[in-house]
Amino acid sequence: MNIRQTLIWLILLLSSFWGVAQVTTSPAFIQKDYTGEIIVYFDATRGNRGMTGATSCYAHTGVITNESTGNSDWKHAPEWKDNSPKYKMESVGENQWKLTIPNLKTYYELNENEVVEKLAFVFRDATASKEGKSEANGDIFVDLHESGLQVAFTNPAGNYALAAGSSLDISFSASAPAHLRLSINDTEAKQLPSATTLTYKHTFAVAGDYILKATATLNGQTVSATTTVCVVEGAENEPRPAGLTDGINYSDDPGRATLVLHAPGKLSVFIVGDFSDWTQQNKYQMKRDGDYWWLTLTDLEPGKEYGFQYLVNSVSGAPIRIADPYTEKILHELDTYIPTSTYPNIKPYPTGKTNGPVAVIQTQQPAYHWQINDFKVKNQASLSIYELLIRDFTATGDLNGVTDKLDYLQRMGITAIELMPCQEFSGNDSWGYNPIFYFAMDKAYGTKEMYKRFIDECHRRGIAVLLDVVYNQADQDMPFVKLYFDGTKPTADNPWFNVSAPHPYSVFYDFNHESEYTRAFVKRNLKFLLEEYKFDGFRFDLTKGFTNKPSTESTASMYDQSRIDILKDYNRAIRAVKPDAVVILEHFCSSSEEKVLAQEGMLLWRNMNGAFGNILKGTEADVSGIYADGKTMPFNSLVGFSESHDEERTMYKSQSEGIPNMKLSLTKRIARAKLAALYSMLVPGPKMIWQFEEMGYDISIETNGRTGRKPLHWEYLDDERRKGLYDLYATLFILRRDYPALFDGSATLKWTPSNLIAGSRLEINHPDLTLIVIANFAQTSGSIYPAFPTTGIWHELMTGEQLPITGLNQNSPITLPANEFKLFANKKPDIDLAITEISDQRPFSIYPNPTSGLITFRAGIMEEVQIVSAQGVILKSEYTVSSIDISQLATGNYWIVIRNNGIRQSIPVLKR
């Protein structure tokens, strides 16, 4: 370490970075039954320092009570930006503020039996442009105490670190005058015979870990509190062992794991976690290897989950607390809101010991045993993709619900499911475009085992699974954002992120894809998803933003060679792992650029919402843009769709914007939706629909907010009109699946797409099968010439009608009512339009529960029964049984999972 590094090191360590009180109160101890006045003092120079220099201060405050589910469940908080006088704080010096709470019960308007456990705060200025939060940019809490004698440190308020030779003013308080003692590593430092506060200045001359203990004795009762001081040793320089990768490295020894963090420019990194009781200790300081930090943890219990974080120091002095960027599981305070049926036995978050996302280490993790190991995507050119949001697809809002609906999706003929983003995102309720951990699948939808089981089951049914990935942006809890962040945006020295997006489309923080660090991270993540979860490909969000070339709305779509090179690089990395992978880009750039990308085997999203929306509204539409004709774009290079997650639902457009006789009639709207389906699904090339488009879902995208939850309407299929739309989609999807040559560019396409306002004809001619569509887009009946290319028996696929065609009637006009169509085939394909039971919830029951052995199903024989551990591991499977024996299993909690008549359900069971 050179002289400059040494000076910076000392400056860093002399600045406190963990445990100086940001909020103090008078009285110092607030008991849960306290009814007097409380003064809250806020030091704006502490924590995230977001209120430094503010000229006004308001407390956004609530309480955590016995009715709260966790620290995120504030009670009795005002609306954000409520500037009522009761929340206005008084200045008591530069960057120092105080709030008076006359009485807890009346100030917070508590319920009769509500008991306050914590006061919760975020401080802000009058406009909310400045915010004072915790060091980790989170909420600030003040604990309330039980009645009786209590003692607690006021300085340091938590675990603390400093350099050897530094002095520290130590203080603690008791809730009543008592005999006070302070000891440091079991050596008494000071005592007072009768006092409520003890202060002591101590110089820590030698590096090491120190335990401070405060005791108070009154009337024979003694209470104590402890905190730790880490007097930091210099970081050890040592090359990391060969073969390690960034993140968590497991070895053949189940008691060991080596952690590696790439953090250029940082001066020290400590690991804190369950193994250190979340205290900073010198034994957990990571070794330095250039820009890398590493340490091997030992004495880990095989199979046990340990939570941990990195505590990273920087020249600015404030610590940065992050979880491992490569962790495959994180813990969060919001985990308490995830149902146990979705994620059984989540490891509890270490509340009160840390804040922010927590990474998980677990050696000897249970292995998932794949049923299907050789699935390959077939007929990419004729893919029929079903885009869905797990949250909104079923009543359970998780992977259990989607898995239960696979019979429905399989029988509809879809060949790929595209999941909206489900890598760990901020919160539990999201579209997923705010990712924070890319190697962890979000627990709001299920366990790691459930994700794999879902993909395995899709593959067993011949369905590919595509993942919508978000590499254009990340939210603030993404570790690479937090490592180099000035409180509002990434700093200029951030190796992974731009200070601000050079393009006009960013929402969160913008990845710098010109950086070798970013490209290495993205390629490693893609490889991981393909190998660990066996995803079959990806839809890349906003690839237009994969460039550092500055642009505006008018220039962002212009040809950009650097962006092309970046996307080619990612495409090559994907195909090196899985040559048949599907790569779809949300690009929307110039055709010259999209053509180059298509020539590399990538598919481009083609949004036709406007044109197909016009069809449903009853107005003229040109849908020719859905077709890649081999000239402007290579054949089969466009994933055409009339709806995705991003667009207004066409059925809603029909209802709200359609011509008068369309708005008032569901029958007419469904009829127009059928015409749109024909002219999207029958055009060659891959196609996509948004969930429930097949049943005419007509709830606006803006319902409950654009990204908010939408109501379920599976009962739509009880309406014969909507069921008729489903039948058409199923017919088209099955044709696309079973006759792929019709849609891969080898068939002859003849159609009149330019003026879909009157009669129209579409023909797909191939030796395997020939299809003829005649459709009347007008609002009055009309005659259309079918021009059957051959004589013989032609089959109308929706009605079963057989039409003998001879030379005499080969081109005889057929009269169609307004908004009607005919779909003819020159031979009858085998198409099953049956729908399995689509009810969201159909309870089953078992007895006895708890049990010591045999479990019996009240409903009788079940097609398939699984015993699943609390961790999601399948322990036993049986078929066509009315009972199952679990006497051989250890005492504990398990899940019984049954599949019967296309319905999958689960129920917890206790083995005695």
Side-chain angles (χ1 to χ4, degrees):
M1 185 180 290
N2 59 34
I3 294 175
R4 179 179 178 277
Q5 287 177 313
T6 304
L7 289 173
I8 294 173
W9 173 258
L10 290 173
I11 293 170
L12 167 67
L13 292 177
L14 288 171
S15 61
S16 61
F17 56 78
W18 193 4
V20 175
Q22 182 180 5
V23 170
T24 55
T25 62
S26 176
F29 280 92
I30 308 171
Q31 296 182 337
K32 294 180 180 179
D33 58 358
Y34 182 66
T35 59
E37 181 181 80
I38 298 170
I39 307 295
V40 178
Y41 296 96
F42 167 54
D43 184 349
T45 66
R46 305 294 184 185
N48 73 338
R49 306 175 187 174
M51 281 288 288
T52 304
T55 57
S56 63
C57 185
Y58 287 82
H60 181 72
T61 180
V63 285
I64 306 300
T65 75
N66 58 324
E67 298 178 3
S68 299
T69 58
N71 280 352
S72 59
D73 188 14
W74 290 27
K75 303 297 184 184
H76 309 293
E79 294 292 327
W80 184 246
K81 295 186 181 181
D82 185 338
N83 287 355
S84 300
K86 67 183 288 187
Y87 302 117
K88 187 173 184 179
M89 302 184 70
E90 177 186 348
S91 175
V92 290
E94 186 176 3
N95 292 313
Q96 306 296 315
W97 304 88
K98 81 170 184 178
L99 174 71
T100 301
I101 300 175
N103 174 274
L104 280 177
K105 186 176 182 65
T106 57
Y107 186 85
Y108 288 106
E109 300 178 5
L110 300 177
N111 300 328
E112 185 64 32
N113 298 316
E114 209 167 10
V115 179
V116 178
E117 298 176 349
K118 297 181 183 183
L119 308 183
F121 297 96
V122 169
F123 301 96
R124 58 173 180 79
D125 65 359
T127 62
S129 58
K130 287 176 170 284
E131 294 181 18
K133 294 185 175 182
S134 71
E135 175 189 287
N137 214 43
D139 302 338
I140 301 167
F141 298 100
V142 174
D143 290 325
L144 270 65
H145 302 271
E146 299 294 340
S147 300
L149 185 62
Q150 303 286 338
V151 66
F153 281 94
T154 52
N155 195 60
N159 301 301
Y160 195 75
L162 41 71
S166 302
S167 296
L168 177 65
D169 291 320
I170 303 168
S171 63
F172 67 88
S173 297
S175 57
H179 191 124
L180 307 182
R181 292 184 179 87
L182 171 69
S183 64
I184 302 174
N185 279 358
D186 294 328
T187 300
E188 185 174 289
K190 185 176 180 179
Q191 62 173 299
L192 293 175
S194 180
T196 56
T197 301
L198 182 150
T199 61
Y200 177 71
K201 186 168 187 154
H202 184 75
T203 299
F204 293 88
V206 181
D209 299 318
Y210 295 82
I211 297 176
L212 311 185
K213 184 175 182 180
T215 60
T217 302
L218 179 64
N219 298 329
Q221 179 188 7
T222 299
V223 294
S224 63
T226 61
T227 191
T228 62
V229 171
C230 179
V231 182
V232 180
E233 301 168 350
E236 181 180 351
N237 289 291
E238 182 180 330
R240 62 195 187 281
L244 296 181
T245 59
D246 294 0
I248 306 169
N249 294 264
Y250 297 109
S251 68
D252 294 336
D253 183 348
R256 297 164 63 91
T258 300
L259 307 182
V260 178
L261 179 68
H262 190 192
K266 303 304 179 184
L267 294 177
S268 72
V269 182
F270 285 78
I271 304 170
V272 294
D274 292 335
F275 37 78
S276 68
D277 195 29
W278 294 94
T279 62
Q280 184 173 339
Q281 301 175 21
N282 279 293
K283 67 180 289 188
Y284 294 113
Q285 183 175 191
M286 301 184 80
K287 299 175 182 180
R288 183 172 189 165
D289 180 8
D291 288 338
Y292 291 85
W293 301 85
W294 69 276
L295 187 70
T296 298
L297 301 176
T298 58
D299 300 323
L300 299 175
E301 182 181 331
K304 179 180 178 180
E305 291 186 324
Y306 294 86
F308 78 98
Q309 292 171 318
Y310 299 116
L311 193 64
V312 182
N313 304 318
S314 64
V315 177
S316 64
I320 307 165
R321 191 186 307 267
I322 61 169
D324 191 288
Y326 298 88
T327 184
E328 295 180 29
K329 179 178 179 179
I330 70 156
L331 307 177
H332 196 281
E333 287 185 326
L334 294 174
D335 290 348
T336 56
Y337 292 97
I338 299 175
T340 56
S341 58
T342 296
Y343 202 111
N345 296 335
I346 298 177
K347 175 180 169 61
Y349 183 84
T351 302
K353 296 184 176 181
T354 190
N355 48 57
V358 167
V360 173
I361 298 173
Q362 183 186 20
T363 63
Q364 282 194 344
Q365 296 180 32
Y368 178 80
H369 301 289
W370 291 91
Q371 300 176 62
I372 309 298
N373 286 290
D374 56 354
F375 182 84
K376 295 189 182 303
V377 179
K378 297 179 181 178
N379 307 316
Q380 180 169 305
S382 61
L383 274 179
S384 298
I385 304 169
Y386 194 94
E387 184 189 17
L388 65 85
L389 173 58
I390 295 173
R391 183 196 71 185
D392 289 355
F393 191 59
T394 67
T396 63
D398 59 15
L399 284 162
N400 291 330
V402 183
T403 303
D404 288 346
K405 290 292 185 286
L406 287 180
D407 282 346
Y408 169 82
L409 294 172
Q410 180 184 12
R411 289 197 172 154
M412 193 165 63
I414 66 103
T415 53
I417 293 172
E418 181 181 306
L419 298 177
M420 282 181 68
C422 46
Q423 290 157 292
E424 191 73 43
F425 46 74
S426 297
N428 292 330
D429 190 343
S430 173
W431 269 13
Y433 294 100
N434 52 341
I436 50 178
F437 290 91
Y438 286 77
F439 290 78
M441 305 307 289
D442 203 289
K443 302 190 303 300
Y445 296 147
T447 66
K448 184 176 183 179
E449 170 95 2
M450 290 175 185
Y451 279 95
K452 292 182 177 182
R453 192 186 312 148
F454 167 74
I455 294 170
D456 211 7
E457 183 62 24
C458 287
H459 288 171
R460 188 178 71 81
R461 298 163 180 266
I463 299 172
V465 184
L466 313 178
L467 179 63
D468 193 342
V469 286
V470 187
Y471 297 122
N472 51 291
Q473 63 190 23
D475 209 347
Q476 189 171 328
D477 271 335
M478 201 282 176
F480 293 150
V481 174
K482 293 178 74 173
L483 272 173
Y484 307 86
F485 196 74
D486 69 3
T488 60
K489 61 185 181 301
T491 55
D493 62 341
N494 192 313
W496 291 274
F497 284 84
N498 291 312
V499 174
S500 57
H503 57 84
Y505 305 106
S506 185
V507 178
F508 296 100
Y509 302 102
D510 187 66
F511 269 107
N512 173 11
H513 289 277
E514 298 284 357
S515 164
E516 62 180 300
Y517 297 99
T518 296
R519 290 202 299 276
F521 175 78
V522 170
K523 286 187 280 190
R524 177 174 164 183
N525 186 237
L526 291 167
K527 184 174 188 290
F528 170 81
L529 295 168
L530 291 168
E531 293 181 338
E532 181 69 20
Y533 287 94
K534 298 188 184 296
F535 281 107
D536 301 296
F538 308 99
R539 178 265 187 187
F540 282 77
D541 185 55
L542 192 63
T543 50
K544 184 184 292 188
F546 284 31
T547 177
N548 274 9
K549 184 177 179 180
S551 65
T552 63
E553 286 273 4
S554 61
T555 63
S557 300
M558 296 173 64
Y559 192 94
D560 185 339
Q561 187 61 50
S562 65
R563 181 167 55 200
I564 291 171
D565 293 341
I566 289 166
L567 290 169
K568 283 185 176 181
D569 185 30
Y570 292 150
N571 186 54
R572 286 192 295 267
I574 292 168
R575 301 198 185 285
V577 180
K578 184 176 175 61
D580 63 312
V582 179
V583 179
I584 304 172
L585 309 181
E586 184 200 24
H587 207 60
F588 301 140
C589 288
S590 68
S591 58
S592 59
E593 181 171 331
E594 292 198 344
K595 184 174 184 179
V596 172
L597 298 170
Q599 289 168 342
E600 292 290 314
M602 291 175 267
L603 304 175
L604 287 304
W605 251 21
R606 179 54 58 91
N607 181 359
M608 298 296 295
N609 183 254
F612 283 100
N614 285 342
I615 291 178
L616 269 80
K617 288 189 288 186
T619 59
E620 185 173 354
D622 181 353
V623 299
S624 59
I626 201 170
Y627 180 50
D629 59 8
K631 299 173 185 177
T632 305
M633 291 294 292
F635 283 120
N636 310 314
S637 59
L638 300 177
V639 178
F641 59 87
S642 61
E643 290 181 18
S644 75
H645 63 273
D646 257 338
E647 285 78 40
E648 183 59 271
R649 312 302 164 221
T650 52
M651 275 289 287
Y652 179 78
K653 285 185 176 184
S654 179
Q655 187 177 32
S656 60
E657 305 171 26
I659 61 176
N661 70 346
M662 203 66 62
K663 291 181 179 182
L664 301 176
S665 171
L666 175 62
T667 300
K668 288 185 171 64
R669 294 199 303 274
I670 290 291
R672 299 295 288 191
K674 291 179 180 180
L675 299 182
L678 287 163
Y679 275 76
S680 58
M681 294 300 114
L682 287 181
V683 175
K687 298 294 182 291
M688 184 186 80
I689 68 168
W690 168 244
Q691 64 184 29
F692 309 135
E693 189 176 347
E694 74 278 8
M695 56 180 78
Y697 191 82
D698 46 16
I699 305 299
S700 172
I701 192 175
E702 302 299 340
T703 299
N704 196 28
R706 187 174 187 82
T707 61
R709 290 177 180 265
K710 303 297 185 285
L712 285 170
H713 285 297
W714 283 96
E715 81 286 353
Y716 274 177
L717 293 177
D718 295 333
D719 186 312
E720 63 179 11
R721 295 165 295 183
R722 295 183 186 272
K723 172 61 166 57
L725 178 60
Y726 163 88
D727 287 345
L728 176 60
Y729 267 108
T731 298
L732 300 175
F733 282 143
I734 292 170
L735 287 171
R736 293 176 60 82
R737 181 192 67 195
D738 295 350
Y739 296 88
L742 273 67
F743 307 98
D744 66 6
S746 58
T748 300
L749 172 68
K750 298 178 182 178
W751 63 325
T752 54
S754 297
N755 184 30
L756 296 183
I757 197 169
S760 180
R761 177 184 182 276
L762 184 150
E763 175 184 333
I764 301 177
N765 197 311
H766 190 273
D768 291 349
L769 187 71
T770 295
L771 300 175
I772 298 290
V773 175
I774 55 173
N776 183 10
F777 288 84
Q779 296 305 304
T780 57
S781 63
S783 296
I784 304 171
Y785 292 89
F788 292 105
T790 60
T791 59
I793 301 297
W794 283 77
H795 303 266
E796 209 294 315
L797 299 185
M798 303 312 298
T799 64
E801 172 191 1
Q802 294 186 10
L803 187 63
I805 298 299
T806 67
L808 297 176
N809 65 349
Q810 197 166 352
N811 197 29
S812 297
I814 296 176
T815 300
L816 291 177
N819 307 314
E820 293 296 329
F821 72 93
K822 293 287 186 180
L823 172 58
F824 294 105
N826 66 338
K827 61 183 74 172
K828 184 173 175 57
D830 182 15
I831 296 175
D832 179 9
L833 300 180
I835 299 178
T836 58
E837 172 64 51
I838 52 85
S839 171
D840 251 0
Q841 297 180 353
R842 195 174 194 176
F844 76 100
S845 60
I846 60 176
Y847 68 93
N849 188 11
T851 182
S852 58
L854 192 68
I855 297 170
T856 301
F857 306 107
R858 295 186 188 276
I861 294 175
M862 300 293 165
E863 293 174 7
E864 180 182 7
V865 180
Q866 295 175 335
I867 307 297
V868 181
S869 73
Q871 291 73 37
V873 179
I874 299 175
L875 303 175
K876 186 175 184 179
S877 297
E878 293 191 9
Y879 300 87
T880 318
V881 293
S882 59
S883 64
I884 191 166
D885 185 8
I886 63 170
S887 59
Q888 75 281 9
L889 299 180
T891 299
N893 294 305
Y894 298 89
W895 287 90
I896 304 294
V897 180
I898 67 101
R899 189 184 300 279
N900 211 40
N901 297 322
I903 303 298
R904 178 185 177 280
Q905 295 172 283
S906 57
I907 192 170
V909 64
L910 174 62
K911 167 63 181 358
R912 285 175 170 166

